[in-house]
Amino acid sequence: MERNPLQRQVAYMRRSLFDQGYLDEQFVQLEDLQDDANPNFVEEIVTLFYTDSARLIHNIEQALESRPLDFIRLDDYMHQFKGSSSSIGAKKVKNECTQFREHCSARSAEGCVRTFQQVKQEHTILRRKLETYFQLARQAGLAN
Amino acid sequence: MGMATEAQFHVLAVDDSIIDRKLIEKLLKTSSYQVTAVDSGSKALEFLGLQEAEQRNLSPPSLCPSQEMEVNLIITDYCMPGMTGYDLLRKIKESTSLKDIPVVIMSSENIPSRINRCLEEGAEDFFLKPVQLSDVNKLRPHLLKGKAREEEEEEEEEEEEEEEEEEEEEEEEEEEEEEEEEEEEEEEEEEELSSNKRKNVEESLSHDRTRARFNGLEVV
């Protein structure tokens, strides 16, 4: 089967997302679930993740503003965030969530604030990469 | 009997995370299960209670017929606000009508004491999240066990009925036999009375050796 240049680009991009540690094996599980009945399953669940995590980010930001910090509540939000990240294979985001939770356990306000910035950063980077990836994949599919 | 030609197993999935609900739903559908996904333990009980009430009342089809509502397995997240998966598991096992439905717990945290507690409470299995297709493939034996138990109970009932019928037949036969035997005995008695004594003694000796041994005539 001959791949057109776009398809090669898509494959390359996909490969690097894994190699650079943005995605893990769970993403492959999602790809395997995609079928004729649900041809856009991966993109749908990723979109759902970004909608849902926007809500969590907002909640965490608010919680980080209250004094004293409610570490239990923060940890609870982050537990949810980490769970969803894990479910879509968002490896770096998941790891940052783990860091955050460690600071919650240590009751370190500074640690929480700092790592939360990292969580948001990875979250945004991945969203942009995946948006590009899905767009490219669609173009490559159409170009057939 | 009115059943669908291809009986599908119906799984009730319980998870407060919308992403995980979408995932588990897809995993189950890919494995050809019928799925109902709810976001809390209380909604799960509501759904199960609704199904329970229907089966009792055989209510008119304002909702789906009770056949479609039957739940063959419950898969639930452990960490949920309000009612945890463990709380839900307990409530199900405490219910006379629901306790035989197999329950599987999912959790993102690998905590052995948690896992053991759930298994002790009657959970069939415990999956670590993110749940994968290989995990869902492990559900089939639990589902078949539940189905087998149901069918066993039905079979047992049928067998009991059959046995009762057989017993009745046997009793009738026995009565007939007894009547026949009584008739025969009467005939024999008449014969004996009319035959000579020697024949009698011989018969009794050959038929009843133990008695013969104790009458002192035996030579050791």
Side-chain angles (χ1 to χ4, degrees), chain A residues 9-119:
Chain A
Q9 218 178 334
V10 172
Y12 178 79
M13 198 188 170
R14 183 183 170 279
R15 187 78 255 144
S16 55
L17 284 169
F18 286 100
D19 290 344
Q20 290 168 19
Y22 289 103
L23 297 175
D24 63 27
E25 169 62 27
Q26 178 60 18
F27 192 84
V28 180
Q29 291 281 320
L30 299 181
E31 288 175 321
D32 287 346
L33 285 171
Q34 190 156 289
D35 55 18
D36 292 336
N38 278 111
N40 300 311
F41 176 71
V42 185
E43 195 174 351
E44 279 171 19
I45 200 169
V46 167
T47 306
L48 198 59
F49 167 73
Y50 277 101
T51 312
D52 193 54
S53 52
R55 174 185 61 88
L56 283 168
I57 285 172
H58 177 73
N59 291 343
I60 295 169
E61 268 167 353
Q62 281 200 322
L64 281 171
E65 273 161 33
S66 65
R67 293 289 180 276
L69 285 186
D70 184 345
F71 289 106
I72 294 179
R73 174 177 283 232
L74 281 169
D75 186 68
D76 188 53
Y77 286 138
M78 199 45 83
H79 168 84
Q80 293 176 51
F81 201 131
K82 184 183 169 187
S84 319
S85 309
S86 167
S87 292
I88 66 156
K91 191 172 175 183
K92 287 196 186 198
V93 179
K94 183 181 72 166
N95 290 341
E96 295 303 333
C97 291
T98 305
Q99 297 283 317
F100 184 98
R101 293 187 78 195
E102 276 166 23
H103 291 294
C104 286
S105 302
R107 300 181 68 82
S108 160
E110 186 271 329
C112 284
V113 169
R114 188 169 33 87
T115 49
F116 186 57
Q117 294 313 308
Q118 280 160 242
V119 168

Side-chain angles (χ1 to χ4, degrees), chain B:
Chain B
M1 258 207 285
M3 280 205 295
T5 45
E6 255 187 63
Q8 263 193 319
F9 286 124
H10 182 196
V11 179
L12 176 64
V14 191
D15 201 317
D16 62 315
S17 159
I18 191 169
I19 287 99
D20 289 344
R21 271 201 309 282
K22 186 171 173 80
L23 182 57
I24 194 73
E25 201 168 353
K26 188 72 179 92
L27 284 166
L28 291 166
K29 284 192 175 152
T30 297
S31 306
S32 304
Y33 296 122
Q34 207 184 338
V35 191
T36 298
V38 296
D39 65 7
S40 71
S42 46
K43 292 234 180 88
L45 289 175
E46 219 179 280
F47 183 83
L48 292 163
L50 191 68
Q51 169 226 316
E52 200 187 349
E54 272 204 357
Q55 288 182 342
R56 266 206 305 274
N57 302 336
L58 300 165
S59 59
S62 51
L63 298 145
C64 312
S66 61
Q67 203 101 80
E68 281 179 42
M69 294 278 264
E70 189 197 358
V71 171
N72 303 116
L73 184 135
I74 298 161
I75 183 163
T76 178
D77 187 25
Y78 184 94
C79 274
M80 294 188 292
M83 196 186 299
T84 65
Y86 179 77
D87 298 329
L88 177 61
L89 168 67
R90 285 191 68 184
K91 287 212 193 295
I92 288 163
K93 292 304 169 189
E94 280 164 12
S95 153
T96 38
S97 54
L98 302 176
K99 66 177 167 57
D100 288 331
I101 304 177
V103 182
V104 171
I105 311 278
M106 308 179 278
S107 177
S108 53
E109 287 165 324
N110 188 354
I111 301 173
S113 57
R114 173 184 292 184
I115 298 172
N116 286 331
R117 199 153 59 106
C118 291
L119 294 174
E120 277 163 25
E121 196 59 41
E124 302 290 333
D125 216 331
F126 193 103
F127 295 161
L128 279 179
K129 285 180 159 186
V131 177
Q132 308 195 331
L133 211 51
S134 54
D135 295 312
V136 174
N137 291 339
K138 289 192 245 167
L139 292 177
R140 200 152 281 269
H142 299 308
L143 279 157
L144 291 170
K145 188 165 67 162
K147 255 294 177 214
R149 213 180 291 137
E150 249 182 66
E151 283 169 10
E152 241 180 59
E153 281 167 16
E154 282 179 19
E155 268 182 34
E156 277 179 14
E157 282 180 16
E158 282 180 21
E159 275 180 19
E160 279 179 11
E161 286 179 12
E162 279 180 23
E163 274 179 19
E164 282 180 8
E165 283 179 19
E166 276 180 24
E167 279 179 9
E168 284 180 11
E169 281 180 24
E170 275 178 21
E171 282 180 7
E172 286 179 14
E173 278 180 24
E174 278 179 11
E175 284 178 7
E176 282 179 22
E177 278 180 19
E178 281 179 8
E179 284 179 12
E180 280 180 21
E181 277 180 15
E182 284 180 2
E183 284 180 16
E184 279 181 19
E185 281 180 11
E186 285 178 6
E187 285 178 17
E188 279 181 15
E189 281 180 8
E190 285 180 13
E191 275 184 33
E192 282 176 12
L193 286 170
S194 60
S195 73
N196 63 43
K197 269 194 181 174
R198 195 164 167 235
K199 186 174 171 210
N200 232 3
V201 171
E202 272 179 341
E203 275 181 11
S204 63
L205 276 177
S206 62
H207 288 153
D208 213 0
R209 277 191 227 103
T210 46
R211 213 184 295 149
R213 231 180 275 184
F214 289 106
N215 68 8
L217 294 172
E218 194 194 7
V219 179
V220 175

